[in-house]
Amino acid sequence: MRPNDRSPGSADSKRASSTAVLARRLAIPLFTIVGAAFGAWALIYTGATNPMLVGDSGPLGRIGLPIAEFFFQAASVVVIGAIILMMLILPRSKPQRRRGAGARRAEKKAKQLAAKKAAAGKASAAEEAAAAATLTAEATAASASSADAFKTDRKAERDVELDPSWAAALLTAQIGSVFLVLSSVATLILRYVNTAGTAATNATQAEFSAQLGAYITQIDSGRLWSLVVVTAIVMSMILFATRSFAGIGWTALLTVLILLPQALMGHAAEAKGHIEAVNSLGLHLVAVMAWVGGLVVLALISPTLTGRQDLGEIIKRYSTIALFSIVIMAYSGFVNATLRVKGLDDWLTPYGQLVIIKVVFTVILGLIGFWYRQRIIDRLGSSMRAAAEFWRLVLVEIAIFGAVV
């Protein structure tokens, strides 16, 4: 009989724990390095870094803007992924609110007194007054007891010890939100530089500030991205101020204001069939954030997950979301591509070839997901070997996602 490999001192347990720590340490560097390398190659291959003949913004706009946008997307992935995990996948260990027992006792005693009164048939005025006074006093005491119980329950809810994985996801979202704010501000400024071209690069400090203000208040793209910046700031403030489902729910609603402007300003907005392009890009962004973000944050909080008995259930919930995400991602990506790529010649262009590469990577990611859904997830609750294998596959997926995103 094979010994239980979930015991803390077993070799399998130590291997799974070390693999989880490795996943946490490598998740962000792996995603960033692979994404930056593939993104730089794509920019060079498609000619996006070549100077423009008229109104060129210089290296600051041509190279700086894609870098800022990449870090903004990476921060968005982490923050939105953590919010999804906290809302839909991880338990918070929120206690059940207790109802005041004093009110129930008073109600029961009142019924008993009423029954005695009915059995006696009559009572003196003095007795009735005394009974009424007694009931009033007991009702007052019950009300005070209920109020005290409610305050106690509210305090217990605030002071409850959070589930370690939920708390780790919240911390991850908080840190990610800081980078989200910083990268959104950098992207706003560099979008202006890229739009204004030489008017921005050759401007004095005063002229630059005035032109940036005009871009933010008068130009549609500037207004939309300003909305992203404000939303990122508000989201970060809520994440640092809340520990409740309600607060996290508000941040989930704010993610719409993070993603919608990107859909309206994305490359698909310039394609024929504007409405279809924007809608498909919006769906694409939602699917990517849920799938990639959930996976990256799982890796970042992996040391808190590895020893859990319910690890299999947690990964099953995420896997279900990932399954829906890959379907939406494939469909929306196909719609987007058909709006921009019409014939065989278009597929042979640098853009068409990039689409083909992304399709291949997406298929590989789907196969990896299918593998651990069929072969690994069911064993996670009982086998630490399965946990170690799962975290290794997660790192492979994150590396591929870095290229796809």
Side-chain angles (χ1 to χ4, degrees):
M1 184 180 210
R2 191 172 178 270
N4 181 10
D5 68 353
R6 290 192 63 85
S7 58
S10 68
D12 289 339
S13 181
K14 292 180 180 178
R15 187 181 300 110
S17 298
S18 62
T19 306
V21 171
L22 185 66
R24 182 187 63 184
R25 291 175 177 174
L26 293 183
I28 294 299
L30 195 61
F31 183 83
T32 303
I33 292 172
V34 174
F38 188 83
W41 172 81
L43 287 172
I44 296 171
Y45 183 67
T46 57
T49 56
N50 296 335
M52 298 179 64
L53 296 178
V54 178
D56 181 62
S57 59
L60 192 61
R62 287 184 280 107
I63 300 175
L65 178 58
I67 293 175
E69 289 180 333
F70 172 77
F71 281 103
F72 174 80
Q73 295 294 346
S76 300
V77 161
V78 171
V79 174
I80 296 176
I83 290 172
I84 290 173
L85 290 185
M86 288 187 287
M87 286 292 296
L88 302 176
I89 297 174
L90 297 173
R92 182 181 177 272
S93 297
K94 187 175 181 180
Q96 295 291 330
R97 176 172 293 171
R98 301 184 307 274
R99 298 183 61 185
R104 293 192 296 271
R105 289 195 300 269
E107 183 180 358
K108 182 177 179 180
K109 184 167 288 189
K111 290 180 179 179
Q112 291 174 349
L113 289 173
K116 290 179 180 179
K117 179 180 176 182
K122 60 180 181 177
S124 65
E127 290 174 341
E128 291 179 356
T134 301
L135 288 174
T136 302
E138 290 179 346
T140 302
S143 177
S145 176
S146 298
D148 291 341
F150 179 78
K151 292 178 181 179
T152 301
D153 291 338
R154 289 296 301 271
K155 186 177 185 302
E157 181 180 339
R158 291 193 301 268
D159 298 340
V160 66
E161 184 178 356
L162 297 176
D163 179 272
S165 299
W166 200 93
L170 177 60
L171 178 61
T172 301
Q174 291 170 341
I175 296 173
S177 70
V178 175
F179 287 94
L180 185 68
V181 172
L182 296 176
S183 58
S184 66
V185 173
T187 302
L188 174 62
I189 295 173
L190 292 173
R191 274 183 172 271
Y192 154 67
V193 171
N194 193 56
T195 301
T198 54
T201 54
N202 296 330
T204 63
Q205 183 175 353
E207 292 172 340
F208 187 92
S209 299
Q211 293 171 8
L212 177 60
Y215 174 73
I216 292 173
T217 57
Q218 300 176 21
I219 306 300
D220 288 341
S221 61
R223 291 171 180 169
L224 285 171
W225 203 262
S226 298
L227 176 62
V228 173
V229 173
V230 173
T231 303
I233 293 172
V234 174
M235 182 183 293
S236 182
M237 293 172 63
I238 294 175
L239 285 170
F240 277 98
T242 189
R243 288 154 49 98
S244 66
F245 279 122
I248 301 303
W250 279 110
T251 61
L253 292 176
L254 289 174
T255 59
V256 176
L257 297 180
I258 292 287
L259 299 178
L260 182 59
Q262 297 180 66
L264 293 172
M265 292 184 295
H267 58 76
E270 302 173 358
K272 293 181 179 180
H274 175 77
I275 295 177
E276 293 84 354
V278 170
N279 290 340
S280 62
L281 182 56
L283 288 173
H284 196 74
L285 288 172
V286 171
V288 168
M289 294 299 169
W291 188 9
V292 185
L295 190 73
V296 171
V297 177
L298 283 174
L300 291 174
I301 66 173
S302 56
T304 69
L305 292 171
T306 300
R308 297 178 66 122
Q309 296 289 338
D310 61 346
L311 176 60
E313 292 300 319
I314 289 174
I315 302 304
K316 274 184 180 178
R317 295 187 203 118
Y318 164 74
S319 180
T320 300
I321 293 176
L323 180 61
F324 282 104
S325 296
I326 191 173
V327 173
I328 295 173
M329 184 176 168
Y331 170 74
S332 58
F334 172 78
V335 172
N336 243 313
T338 55
L339 290 172
R340 297 173 63 86
V341 180
K342 298 297 183 181
L344 180 60
D345 292 340
D346 291 334
W347 286 108
L348 297 178
T349 63
Y351 174 80
Q353 293 173 6
L354 283 178
V355 171
I356 294 173
I357 293 174
K358 286 193 172 188
V359 169
V360 173
F361 282 159
T362 302
V363 171
I364 294 173
L365 288 167
L367 292 175
I368 294 175
F370 177 80
W371 172 266
Y372 67 64
R373 188 178 178 89
Q374 296 295 317
R375 301 295 185 91
I376 298 177
I377 290 180
D378 289 337
R379 296 189 289 122
L380 287 176
S382 58
S383 172
M384 296 299 280
R385 284 189 178 183
E389 185 179 352
F390 174 74
W391 294 125
R392 285 193 292 268
L393 284 175
V394 165
L395 285 176
V396 174
E397 282 191 287
I398 288 175
I400 298 175
F401 266 129
V404 173
V405 175

